[in-house]
């Protein structure tokens, strides 16, 4: 493993607070792909909420912290299209006028990847050793799809899971209504978008909903619980890492 790439895992705030099993699944998948994984303890929020709310000073301070913490790694990988889009797309713009931090942000952006895209596009993973006996629908998050071009990578790996029957939603590219601070600013619109998304899930006949952004998944899981739906919600990484038997998001507390 001495020549294995050294990967810094970006542990997202939502993962740490609500779904640590996604972090364990990420480490398992990365190690299976031949990586040496470390989780820097000094890392912070990526700063996206501050950035999207116009608090650029706070966002820049957080960006500099993240840039500094993850220097020295061959790659920076996170199980969140939202956070990794911030590192890849927003940091270079946010720090563009800083002659010291601007180039460092560019370097970090070039080494930063969303987990599933990294496995497929960088490490060349084409299949996983996992099984899941369910009918699974995949939600394409806006940040992953539009910000990072993630679409076929999770489908490729999900289709390699034994027993998994993947079904496509009728409108897979439509927003779920979360949108970070959007759901706080515009709750009626957010709720309507979520209900439309979940009607699509119900029409598909799926018993499990997966995706690559915990914000979207927490949003949809909460709505499902209010509807009394039995649909289970998991992060894509949990199924790929053979952790699909864990309680779904919103179904119980993790140990």
């Amino acid at each position: 493993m001495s020549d294995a790439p050294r990967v810094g895992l970006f542990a997202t705030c939502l993962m740490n607070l609500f779904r640590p099993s996604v972090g364990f699944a990420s480490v398992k998948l990365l190690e299976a792909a031949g990586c040496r994984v470390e989780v820097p303890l000094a890392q912070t929020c990526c700063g996206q909420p501050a950035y999207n709310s116009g608090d650029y000073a706070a966002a820049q301070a957080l960006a500099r912290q993240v840039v500094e913490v993850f220097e020295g790694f061959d790659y920076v990988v996170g199980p969140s299209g939202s956070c990794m889009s911030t590192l890849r797309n927003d940091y270079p713009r946010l720090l563009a006028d800083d002659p010291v931090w601007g180039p460092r942000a560019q370097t970090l952006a070039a080494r930063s990847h969303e987990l599933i895209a990294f496995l497929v596009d960088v490490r060349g993973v084409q299949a996983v050793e996992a099984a899941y006996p369910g009918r699974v629908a995949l939600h394409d998050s806006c940040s992953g799809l539009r910000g990072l071009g993630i679409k076929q990578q999770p489908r490729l790996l999900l289709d390699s899971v034994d027993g998994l029957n993947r079904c496509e939603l009728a409108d897979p590219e439509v927003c779920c209504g979360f949108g970070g601070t959007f759901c706080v600013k515009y709750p009626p619109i957010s709720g309507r978008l979520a209900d439309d998304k979940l009607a699509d899930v119900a029409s598909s006949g799926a018993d499990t909903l997966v995706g690559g952004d915990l914000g979207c998944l927490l949003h949809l899981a909460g709505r499902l619980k209010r509807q009394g739906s039995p649909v289970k919600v998991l992060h894509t990484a949990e199924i790929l890492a053979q952790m699909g038997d864990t309680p779904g998001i919103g179904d119980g507390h993790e140990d």
Side-chain angles (χ1 to χ4, degrees):
M1 292 284 288
S2 60
D3 60 345
R6 182 170 172 246
V7 171
L9 180 66
F10 188 84
T12 70
C13 298
L14 291 177
M15 182 186 81
N16 289 337
L17 291 171
F18 299 108
R19 198 67 175 178
S21 60
V22 175
F24 295 122
S26 300
V27 172
K28 182 177 179 180
L29 290 168
L30 288 168
E31 289 182 341
C35 301
R36 292 181 293 138
V37 185
E38 299 176 38
V39 185
L41 297 179
Q43 64 181 291
T44 63
C45 171
C46 69
Q48 185 191 81
Y51 182 59
N52 289 344
S53 299
D55 189 351
Y56 298 129
Q60 288 170 337
L62 289 168
R64 288 191 290 267
Q65 169 83 355
V66 172
V67 168
E68 185 171 31
V69 165
F70 282 98
E71 284 182 325
F73 289 97
D74 297 313
Y75 300 100
V76 181
V77 177
S80 166
S82 178
C83 293
M84 302 318 292
S85 179
T86 298
L87 269 63
R88 283 179 64 94
N89 299 325
D90 295 335
Y91 279 12
R93 291 193 292 262
L94 189 61
L95 299 173
D97 295 332
D98 190 314
V100 174
W101 290 96
R104 294 169 73 177
Q106 290 280 3
T107 300
L108 176 74
R111 295 183 289 110
S112 297
H113 303 270
E114 185 273 342
L115 172 68
I116 308 303
F118 176 77
L119 293 172
V120 174
D121 298 338
V122 179
R123 298 303 292 168
V125 177
Q126 298 292 299
V128 295
E129 295 184 5
Y132 187 79
R135 183 170 172 81
V136 176
L138 173 68
H139 166 62
D140 294 299
S141 75
C142 295
S143 294
L145 179 67
R146 297 174 177 85
L148 298 173
I150 299 168
K151 186 173 180 67
Q152 295 306 322
Q153 300 95 324
R155 288 167 170 80
L156 172 69
L157 297 189
L158 285 169
D159 286 345
S160 74
V161 175
D162 289 342
L164 187 148
N165 179 12
R166 184 174 62 81
C167 55
E168 282 288 349
L169 298 177
D171 294 308
E173 298 188 1
V174 173
C175 177
C176 72
F178 176 65
T181 55
F182 177 88
C183 68
V184 178
K185 295 177 180 177
Y186 308 103
I189 300 174
S190 175
R192 174 58 187 271
L193 287 168
D195 288 345
D196 289 347
K197 176 66 66 174
L198 295 179
D200 197 352
V201 173
S203 296
S204 74
D207 55 52
T208 306
L209 176 65
V210 301
D213 265 296
L214 270 176
C216 300
L217 298 178
L218 287 165
H219 178 60
L220 294 172
R223 203 73 175 175
L224 283 166
K225 297 310 167 192
R226 291 178 178 84
Q227 295 176 356
S229 171
V231 173
K232 185 175 184 177
V233 181
L234 294 168
H235 192 286
T236 304
E238 293 176 298
I239 286 184
L240 299 180
Q242 192 59 60
M243 295 171 60
D245 58 350
T246 190
I249 296 171
D251 289 335
H253 297 288
E254 298 181 67
D255 295 332

